[in-house]
Amino acid sequence: DLTQHIRLIKNNLRVKGHLTAGSSGYLKITDNEIDVSSGGFTLDVANDIVLDADGGEISFRDANSSIAEFSSASSISKLSLFSQADKGDLFKIETTTHGATTMTTTDDDATVAHLTLDIDGNFFINKTGTQLATIANSANISVIELYSNEDTGDKFSIATTTHGATVITTTDDDGTAANLTLQPEGDLKLLPDGDLTLDVAGDIELNADGGDIAFKDDTADLAALSSSGLTVNNISEVGS
């Protein structure tokens, strides 16, 4: 008796058991699941599609194997993308209060969860509408530019081209005050395979707070300059 399984209550159709639909009978609806036994399944709506999961988690799977997951807990919304080779290897984006966002890669067996940004164009780094940096490539030249917060025409750039030839440039678009300071917390070593040339439009100043300036060939002393004078090959040439 169909009346035991199908009831129409206030324009709602209620089915006891499951409902099979479609001309081929591939779609089956039960209490908590829609199954399509053959072919694809399309949601085609005239407006928006809303997925509202009170459990706080929406999963995307392939044959019950997780591909991606949206979740929300403790004021943190998270998108996780899983490796198909190892579900412990994943990439996630987490957003919390004030829009603070963290991107994380995880390799559960090692430390090779590298993050690669492969961009068909330039890469811009902005803060609240102000451009901070650009990474670009044009005519075989790759360029990194860092901009002043006060004037984006004031910038520092590193440009690399064929054979690794690299140019470091500072720019002051309103004057000539784009000074370059190297301030390592340790030694500063220049170790070129070829020559080292210092070619400046003004003066060259060597300021050694230790009081000595040494000139060497490999480890052999050539000359030394100190407050007491200039010594060449251990022979005093100039007095104080």
Side-chain angles (χ1 to χ4, degrees), residues 70-79 93-96:
F70 291 98
S71 61
S72 179
S74 301
S75 301
I76 300 175
S77 295
K78 179 170 61 177
L79 166 63
I93 302 174
E94 295 176 294
T95 300
T96 184

Side-chain angles (χ1 to χ4, degrees), residues 99 101 117 119 122-135 145-149 152:
T101 300
L117 301 177
I119 300 167
N122 297 334
F123 179 46
F124 301 98
I125 301 175
N126 296 343
K127 178 185 177 184
T128 59
T130 300
Q131 191 169 348
L132 300 180
T134 301
I135 302 175
E145 293 187 336
L146 305 179
Y147 304 99
S148 165
N149 282 332
T152 56

Side-chain angles (χ1 to χ4, degrees), residues 15-199:
V15 178
K16 184 178 181 181
H18 66 267
L19 174 65
T20 300
S23 58
S24 301
Y26 294 147
L27 188 147
K28 182 172 69 174
I29 302 174
T30 57
D31 285 344
N32 297 310
E33 191 169 334
I34 299 176
D35 289 314
V36 180
S37 60
S38 179
F41 179 67
T42 302
L43 292 177
D44 187 356
V45 302
N47 209 321
D48 302 327
I49 294 177
V50 177
L51 300 177
D52 188 351
D54 286 351
E57 184 177 297
I58 298 174
S59 297
F60 297 85
R61 301 185 180 189
D62 178 9
N64 210 34
S65 177
S66 294
I67 299 173
E69 179 182 281
F70 291 98
S71 61
S72 179
S74 301
S75 301
I76 300 175
S77 295
K78 179 170 61 177
L79 166 63
S80 302
L81 304 178
F82 301 95
S83 164
Q84 293 306 290
D86 182 350
K87 294 300 180 287
D89 299 338
L90 58 99
F91 168 73
K92 64 183 178 182
I93 302 174
E94 295 176 294
T95 300
T96 184
T97 309
H98 308 302
T101 300
T102 302
M103 293 190 297
T104 306
T105 61
T106 301
D107 179 356
D108 66 340
D109 297 318
T111 55
V112 291
H114 310 307
L115 178 62
T116 301
L117 301 177
D118 189 354
I119 300 167
D120 190 8
N122 297 334
F123 179 46
F124 301 98
I125 301 175
N126 296 343
K127 178 185 177 184
T128 59
T130 300
Q131 191 169 348
L132 300 180
T134 301
I135 302 175
N137 179 273
S138 177
N140 297 324
I141 301 176
S142 296
V143 181
I144 298 176
E145 293 187 336
L146 305 179
Y147 304 99
S148 165
N149 282 332
E150 297 178 352
D151 182 352
T152 56
D154 299 339
K155 60 186 177 181
F156 167 80
S157 66
I158 301 176
T160 301
T161 184
T162 310
H163 307 303
T166 301
V167 177
I168 297 176
T169 306
T170 62
T171 302
D172 178 358
D173 66 342
D174 298 317
T176 56
N179 304 319
L180 178 62
T181 301
L182 302 177
Q183 191 173 352
E185 189 176 348
D187 298 333
L188 174 62
K189 298 181 179 181
L190 301 177
L191 304 173
D193 287 336
D195 298 330
L196 174 63
T197 301
L198 297 178
D199 186 357

Side-chain angles (χ1 to χ4, degrees), residues 182 188 198 203-215 225-227:
L182 302 177
L188 174 62
L198 297 178
D203 300 326
I204 294 177
E205 178 181 326
L206 300 177
N207 187 345
D209 287 350
D212 296 315
I213 298 175
F215 300 87
L225 182 62
S226 67
S227 59

